[in-house]
Amino acid sequence: MADIVRMSCDYNNNSRDTNSGNINDKLSNESIPFSIPDERWAPLNKQTFQTFFDSDGRLVKEHEFRKAVFKGGLIQELRAEAWKYLFLFYPPLISAREQQTIETERQLRYQLMCERCYKEMPEKLRLSVIHSSTTYPNVPPTNAYCLIQQRIEAYKHKFQWNDMNEHIQLILKDIPRTDRCSSINNHNRLTRLLITFVCYHPSIGYAQGMNDMAQCFLNVFTSNEHEAYWCFSYYITQAAEHFTEQGMGTKIKLLPKLVEKIDKVLFQRICELNVELWTFCHRWLFLCFRREFIEEEDTLLCFEVVCSHFLETNSLMSDRLLHDYQLRRSEIEGICMTTKTKSNDEQYYCTFDYFVCIAMIELLRSCLFDSADELEAMELIQKHQKTLNVNQVLNLAEKLFKDYCQILTTSTTETTVDLSPVEQSYQLIEVGDDIIRKSVPKNKKSTIKS
Amino acid sequence: MLEKATDRSYGMCVGKSCLLLQFTDKRFQPVHDLTIGVEFGARMITIDGKQIKLQIWDTVNIIEMSFNLCISYYRGAAGALLVYDITQRHTFNHLTSWLEDARQHSNSNMVIMLIGNKCDLFARREVQKEEGEAFAREHGLIFMETSAKTAANVEEAFINTAREIYGKIQEGVFDPTNEVNGIKIGPQHANPRTGERPSSSAEKGGCC
């Protein structure tokens, strides 16, 4: 507890706060309509981390682990180890001994995968890669059985070089343009990691911005490239949608809807300024705030908080929050609310990054209110966004999420009556056609909105 | 006057961000982080004794973005810088498709300037100056070769584009009271609410 208290003092006296001082002064004109609670914890340390495991080394208290990451992030020394659980490098609930086996297998597999990519690459392509990439150097000592098994795994996949050509060219071009990536050695690792990823995930391919994300994993896992690869690979396959044109479009469309629910005044102001496509936060969401804080430590903190998946739609914690709010409400109003709320709040699948994004907009709201037009606002935001304090942003984001849950429970009761006719049609079609069934709830959303 | 420019790339490293940096900050940064989303630059210039604020958008990968986002980048652009790299033939080959795209989504009066960047690397030249000139003539664009590294013609490129837009305002092609054109007027033409700002027009530039 002492740690937590000290942490909050630190945060208030934080020297970096001086930067954001100007903004906060300005905010008095159009101040944030929320008080920002200070509920951040101290970063998770080794000692506490150990308490989440049982005597066999299984991560039995995963919920507590994710909560701790969400609330305070990780201390730097623990980050690489903890990320392996956060990004499912180890399957859940396996013992320390099994973890060791997995570690060896994955290292070996990654090495074989890199080797295969390089070997099977068309001659012409290999020539362009040769200077910047070599095969993965660490050969782990291992038994023959494991080697055969991993070789089979690594060679199972069929390569389609025709499609790869373009991706690899683009990767090679982006490597020197990657954020916080400097040395030649680093370039080699990044190239190898990305090429291997692209070869083994042709349906996802390479999108600009992935290089920044991969670099982030390489920075954390310093010498263990295979760990960076598997964690990166997990992250991207989870977020694959967002690296596509459609995925980003969906994100940008959902954001205004959330802002409208949470802060109508701000929403109207942004509409007034005519930045309806919210260009200023594309990068924030696209790179998961990778470039939005000055200190690398801050960006990593923000990233692990979002990736803890502790507070987002359908997470255990948000379900609990919703349930609590419903109970409280029904106690006051005497309304019995059942599963209807559930079906309604699923209309948006909100990950925590939306709320971090909205928190940042809230903290930059003076930029939006003080400027006369879209361009001026964007210029101001660009100028000020890097001065934000990461803990303040995360605190506000958490509060906004809770507010949003509360809004959901209240708005549901209001719309219950309107919903019933739509819900009937939903059930009728359900019998007939699966595909139509999916599209009908969408209409339901628009009905609610209108 | 306020000028706004969209830069575009297909991940081609033609030097859009470097051009912008050279123009706004007068410095060259050989390795520039990959542009994601939109970045902005602004600078005051003077044309015919009038203070003009150029506002330049540096964006990326529009072609890969969904249609809606794409429109957003073009919206309110008075001008565009269409940039290719003289040392990379394929960047030049993409110009036609970009131009079609830009003309389709933007204001038909948008001033487009064609720029062959990296002219300091003449030893590695793949696209001749004459080819650039011919392309510009054929499509009615203004043409210039620049170098973000040595700053050659960088000022001129932006300022000439602004001058062209300014000319179009004088001729009455652009209606400066309509913000859709990307042009905004300051105090002397009176709009009491925005009175304290310098007179402005907008340009968006783009490149491939």
Side-chain angles (χ1 to χ4, degrees), chain A residues 166 170 173-174 176-180 206-212 244-246 248-249 252-253 273-280 282-283 286-287 291 372-376 378-379 382, chain B residues 2-4 9-13 16 31-42 53 55 57 60-61 63-69 71-73 75 88 90 179 184 194 197 202:
Chain A
E166 205 178 311
L170 198 52
K173 219 164 237 177
D174 286 348
R177 299 197 286 167
T178 303
D179 196 23
R180 303 172 214 235
Y206 172 75
Q208 292 191 307
M210 281 187 188
N211 55 338
D212 272 17
T244 62
E245 158 195 331
Q246 274 173 338
M248 205 54 214
I252 295 300
K253 269 179 215 142
L273 284 173
N274 214 2
V275 272
E276 82 271 35
L277 287 161
W278 305 61
T279 24
F280 59 91
H282 290 185
R283 190 183 66 202
F286 191 67
L287 294 182
R291 290 198 196 159
D373 61 25
E374 177 196 5
L375 298 173
E376 210 171 291
M378 300 242 222
E379 224 184 305
Q382 183 174 282
Chain B
L2 181 111
E3 178 172 342
K4 177 165 130 186
S9 99
Y10 306 109
M12 285 194 179
C13 307
K16 301 169 300 298
V31 182
H32 195 281
D33 282 350
L34 181 61
T35 313
I36 303 276
V38 195
E39 271 154 39
F40 301 88
K53 186 177 177 192
Q55 189 136 14
W57 287 32
V60 74
N61 262 356
I63 208 81
E64 287 173 8
M65 284 202 154
S66 63
F67 183 72
N68 275 336
L69 299 185
I71 301 256
S72 154
Y73 290 143
R75 190 168 48 86
Q88 296 183 72
H90 63 112
E179 281 183 30
K184 273 188 109 178
T194 54
R197 288 153 14 86

Side-chain angles (χ1 to χ4, degrees), chain A residues 21-38:
Chain A
N22 326 347
I23 294 188
N24 289 336
D25 292 346
K26 273 174 122 188
L27 282 178
S28 51
N29 305 336
E30 276 299 338
S31 58
I32 307 171
F34 312 99
S35 60
I36 306 173
D38 186 6

